[in-house]
Amino acid sequence: MAYTDYTLGEHRELIGFGTADENRQIARSMAEQAGRTIHIFTTDLDPAVFNQVDFIEAIARMARSHSRARVSVLVQDSAKAVNRGHRLVELARRLSSRVEIRKPVAEYSDLKETFMVADGRGYFHRIQPDRYEGQARFHDPLQCREYVQRFDEIWQRSHGDRELRRVHL
């Protein structure tokens, strides 16, 4: 089954993946199906996954689709993303009331995993940020709740990242 055949909120099977392309397809498929919220925790806004045109377009559509739609991103190190013109950073600048990127406080700097939760129903998770092995489920509200609770705890103690601010000359 192709990742686009999985339906957010329906398909419960555990999906193992091991390549950047698989990770990218899963993230895009979940983003395309999300209606209200996306939570992303990442070390560096991995461009192979989060800087792809289809993914950014899906995020933008979702963010504009509903007045309560929100995309929340926690990124440990945004310097490379900013210097390379990451599309998600640009989207957050354009849609700042719907797409927000923050940096966790130093206490969380040892967390090096990557995960994304779509509408509290589906997720993908990688334990090591520099490797693409991981797992996903398009319907696992219990696991998603755990990821979102952890995300929210970190979010509450996070702050805006000065690297992400636009410099006006």
Side-chain angles (χ1 to χ4, degrees):
M1 185 184 300
Y3 300 118
T4 54
D5 295 336
Y6 287 92
T7 302
L8 191 62
E10 288 183 21
H11 289 96
R12 297 175 185 270
E13 57 266 30
L14 184 63
I15 303 165
F17 57 86
T19 68
D21 187 54
E22 290 171 317
N23 197 167
R24 180 173 37 255
Q25 289 177 42
I26 291 167
R28 183 188 70 234
S29 183
M30 286 185 180
E32 287 171 346
Q33 296 179 59
R36 287 280 185 92
T37 61
I38 293 180
H39 297 83
I40 299 172
F41 183 89
T42 176
T43 55
D44 63 357
L45 285 174
D46 182 356
V49 177
F50 301 119
N51 196 23
Q52 303 302 307
V53 172
D54 291 344
F55 178 78
I56 299 301
E57 288 174 353
I59 295 285
R61 267 192 309 275
M62 190 216 68
R64 291 181 178 119
S65 70
H66 193 280
S67 63
R68 293 187 181 197
R70 295 289 179 268
V71 178
S72 304
V73 181
L74 286 166
V75 60
Q76 300 278 14
D77 181 7
S78 62
K80 283 185 198 173
V82 170
N83 292 337
R84 293 180 181 164
H86 200 290
R87 291 176 181 96
L88 190 54
V89 171
E90 292 304 316
L91 183 65
R93 288 174 177 160
R94 285 195 320 270
L95 298 176
S96 60
S97 65
R98 307 267 175 95
V99 180
E100 187 174 358
I101 302 174
R102 292 186 183 180
K103 182 174 183 161
V105 294
E107 175 183 334
Y108 298 102
S109 63
D110 60 333
L111 295 177
K112 299 299 182 192
E113 64 193 314
T114 296
F115 64 85
M116 180 176 117
V117 177
D119 283 348
R121 295 183 289 171
Y123 74 90
F124 79 79
H125 181 239
R126 293 185 349 227
I127 294 172
Q128 297 178 6
D130 56 341
R131 300 184 63 178
Y132 288 99
E133 293 88 14
Q135 60 186 25
R137 276 205 169 109
F138 278 72
H139 184 72
D140 190 342
L142 293 176
Q143 183 63 57
C144 288
R145 188 175 309 124
E146 287 181 30
Y147 286 130
V148 171
Q149 285 174 345
R150 185 162 33 131
F151 184 96
D152 287 345
E153 173 189 318
I154 298 167
W155 184 264
Q156 295 304 317
R157 300 189 63 217
S158 66
H159 53 83
D161 186 345
R162 64 182 181 167
E163 291 281 343
L164 300 172
R165 292 189 195 122
R166 175 170 277 152
V167 177
H168 295 282
L169 299 175

